[in-house]
Amino acid sequence: MFFPLVLALAASLGGAHELDDHLMAALSRAGFTGTVGSSIEARLGRPIDKKLANLGRLLFFDKIASLHSDNACAGCHSPSAGFGDTQSIAIGIQNNNVVGPNRFGPRNQRRTPMASNTAFFPALMWNDRFFASSGDPFDNSRGFVFPLPEGTTRFPPNDPVIRTLLAAQAHLPPTELVEVAGFTGTAGTIGPDFDQFDDGKGSIVPPPDTSGSRNEPIRQAVLQRLNASPTYRRLFGELFPGVTAGGPIDFAMFGRAIAEFEFTLIFADAPIDHFARGESWAMSLPEKKGALLFFGKAGCVVCHSVGGKSNEMFSDFKMHVIGVPQIAPEFGFGKGNMIFDGPGQDEDFGLEQVSGDPADRYKFRTSPLRNVALQKAFFHNGSFTRLEDAISHHLNVFDSARNYNPIRAGVDRDLTLRMGPIRPLLARIDPLLTHPIKLTPDEFESLVAFVRNGLLDPRAERLNLCSLIPGSLPSGMPPLRFEECPKP
């Protein structure tokens, strides 16, 4: 009796070793090392400045950069969701000061992606409208490219101050009217549909400059707020001698502080990373089987790639049409403050909005998958709220899109009332997804286990990140209320 048990155990161990060998070989072929999480300072070429990062943390949570005085970076990048959105489609200005499931206010156009690990992203935003020409977010030798009016001149090659894509990107959110700047004072200047959002609250949004854009005037208005704050002048002065000498806080300082805080939000030490570094016990058997499917039969790694410029972020950072069902809020005060694309104003044309090329319609960036289990919703518009449903969609996009029901998908009721057309979307599906991928129920469960648990760095979980919420803010403005976090 004992001998057969020994044989069975030996066979089991032999099978486990064989599985480990196959997975290690798959990771090697894909270019995955499991070491990117420890490379941030090497990529920066310097240690992280902890004092500058703490200033960035305070700014990240403070409403002072919001001319409408009611939102901050953390309003849409919540510590309760891996520094991602608590909503399917983001809510910016005119919110109810709540961050979490009960956040209320007019919707923007898309779900806010997670801010963690973005230091390694060579392109940012769902339509890749901010990117490093070099393909390396730590290399500005070829400059950073943004839509106009910034274009290629705002952050030119070899800028001695703005050296990373994140430091450049931080210049833009405060200029977004629907996110943080608001519409106060804009009535009669944008169009009659938008006059309803001029609620007279916060600070007046300045008129456009000679470029026809409000971006720089808004930045200057934000700087007036920062320079009028004795506490912020002291905090910036401790880091920038020019401020101590009486000079003004400038926006490059603001951008560098926000970026420095984001450099501390590197959560890329998941079970798959430990396994790749030789710790075979770091992953469960289902996670290992799911990983082999991810890198093999299921084909996930083709787009959710890890090698080269992907920086082990599980995204090729390219644009694809994957048939995500189109949901859109109604337009109007308290509903949505963006006019969507298409004849029914219920579509999102994605990359076409940037390129102007109809061939780019419905294209969106492949979503990076690290810590994806912390997301409250999935895809650019949060049209799915369960990870299992999001993965199922990839396996058969035609069946998923044609049978999509927003109520069954779990999105908020205000996003179940309007759906864009599905036929033109499916006519443009990426060739990589035209043929369904068949998995057995056990294989599907293993794939979900890998994506949910094998890619999750426990340091990114809610209670750890909630501890970063400041107890008070330098501006003295009332803080946002994070309903899924304990009070600081």
Side-chain angles (χ1 to χ4, degrees):
M1 184 66 126
F2 178 71
F3 187 63
L5 289 174
V6 172
L7 287 177
L9 178 60
S12 174
L13 291 173
H17 286 309
E18 186 177 357
L19 179 64
D20 290 350
D21 290 343
H22 285 314
L23 179 53
M24 190 63 79
L27 296 180
S28 179
R29 287 192 300 271
F32 187 82
T33 66
T35 60
V36 69
S38 60
S39 69
I40 181 66
E41 292 190 341
R43 297 294 295 274
L44 286 170
R46 60 172 176 79
I48 289 176
D49 186 328
K50 294 181 179 178
K51 198 167 184 177
L52 182 61
N54 188 57
L55 173 57
R57 179 179 71 96
L58 296 172
L59 290 165
F60 196 92
F61 285 92
D62 205 329
K63 301 173 188 174
I64 193 168
S66 165
L67 292 189
H68 202 254
S69 301
D70 66 349
N71 204 21
C73 304
C76 296
H77 295 284
S78 175
S80 65
F83 280 106
D85 213 333
T86 59
Q87 304 292 312
S88 285
I89 293 181
I91 296 170
I93 59 160
Q94 298 170 345
N95 65 79
N96 59 348
N97 205 53
V98 169
V99 182
N102 295 305
R103 186 171 175 84
F104 177 81
R107 302 276 184 180
N108 298 172
Q109 188 171 37
R110 298 174 186 140
R111 179 177 66 83
T112 307
M114 285 192 286
S116 56
N117 294 324
T118 49
F120 292 105
F121 295 5
L124 300 168
M125 314 306 287
W126 284 110
N127 52 16
D128 276 6
R129 63 184 183 271
F130 311 147
F131 64 91
S133 297
S134 65
D136 181 349
F138 300 94
D139 175 15
N140 75 339
S141 63
R142 295 171 57 186
F144 300 128
V145 180
F146 285 63
L148 294 174
E150 281 70 30
T152 58
T153 59
R154 177 84 190 192
F155 310 107
N158 298 310
D159 187 303
V161 177
I162 304 301
R163 300 180 179 181
T164 64
L165 183 59
L166 279 187
Q169 187 271 337
H171 286 63
L172 271 295
T175 70
E176 296 286 348
L177 303 187
V178 300
E179 294 179 17
V180 291
F183 292 85
T184 300
T186 66
T189 67
I190 298 176
D193 289 338
F194 290 90
D195 288 352
Q196 61 189 303
F197 299 110
D198 184 352
D199 59 6
K201 296 181 179 179
S203 300
I204 292 176
V205 177
D209 59 17
T210 55
S211 73
S213 167
R214 286 183 163 89
N215 285 11
E216 188 56 27
I218 288 174
R219 281 191 281 260
Q220 292 306 313
V222 170
L223 290 175
Q224 288 178 15
R225 287 178 155 216
L226 287 170
N227 281 296
S229 166
T231 305
Y232 271 117
R233 284 202 56 82
R234 175 179 60 78
L235 291 170
F236 275 92
E238 291 173 358
L239 291 157
F240 300 99
V243 177
T244 304
I249 300 167
D250 64 39
F251 224 86
M253 298 172 189
F254 174 91
R256 288 169 63 189
I258 293 287
E260 202 75 8
F261 173 58
E262 292 176 322
F263 294 149
T264 69
L265 303 181
I266 304 301
F267 306 115
D269 196 24
I272 188 66
D273 300 285
H274 286 265
F275 180 92
R277 299 198 301 266
E279 300 171 24
S280 60
W281 59 88
M283 297 178 72
S284 69
L285 182 59
E287 290 166 14
K288 291 176 183 178
K289 290 180 177 179
L292 276 174
L293 289 164
F294 185 98
F295 287 94
K297 176 181 176 180
C300 311
V301 75
V302 176
C303 295
H304 293 282
S305 57
V306 294
K309 294 178 181 179
S310 293
N311 290 323
E312 304 191 12
M313 290 292 113
F314 293 86
S315 172
D316 59 5
F317 293 99
K318 295 179 181 178
M319 311 296 288
H320 302 275
V321 180
I322 65 169
V324 176
Q326 303 195 83
I327 59 175
E330 294 181 345
F331 181 80
F333 192 87
K335 297 177 180 179
N337 52 21
M338 295 285 289
I339 295 178
F340 276 54
D341 301 318
Q345 297 179 350
D346 52 10
E347 301 185 71
D348 186 342
F349 286 174
L351 182 59
E352 182 184 354
Q353 294 177 351
V354 177
S355 69
D357 186 350
D360 289 333
R361 186 167 298 181
Y362 309 131
K363 287 184 177 180
F364 294 92
R365 181 196 68 182
T366 302
S367 181
L369 292 183
R370 283 189 177 273
N371 305 310
V372 70
L374 302 176
Q375 291 181 192
K376 303 297 184 180
F378 304 91
F379 301 119
H380 67 276
N381 60 4
S383 53
F384 292 94
T385 62
R386 291 179 289 271
L387 180 60
E388 291 88 347
D389 293 343
I391 293 175
S392 290
H393 177 82
H394 286 82
L395 299 177
N396 191 334
V397 296
F398 293 96
D399 182 68
S400 173
R402 288 169 180 154
N403 294 288
Y404 177 76
N405 182 309
I407 297 175
R408 192 166 57 240
V411 300
D412 288 338
R413 186 181 182 280
D414 66 300
L415 296 175
T416 66
L417 306 177
R418 295 205 312 153
M419 286 190 60
I422 197 65
R423 291 182 64 183
L425 183 67
L426 294 180
R428 295 170 177 258
I429 289 293
D430 193 294
L432 291 167
L433 293 171
T434 54
H435 299 290
I437 298 169
K438 295 183 179 180
L439 298 182
T440 68
D442 285 346
E443 286 176 330
F444 180 76
E445 287 184 12
S446 293
L447 181 58
V448 172
F450 169 64
V451 176
R452 172 175 284 131
N453 303 317
L455 298 179
L456 176 61
D457 184 333
R459 298 174 302 165
E461 295 196 64
R462 176 174 56 88
L463 290 181
N464 185 47
L465 298 193
C466 286
S467 67
L468 296 173
I469 300 172
S472 60
L473 299 171
S475 67
M477 301 176 79
L480 292 161
R481 181 169 69 86
F482 298 89
E483 61 180 338
E484 295 176 302
C485 289
K487 291 184 179 180

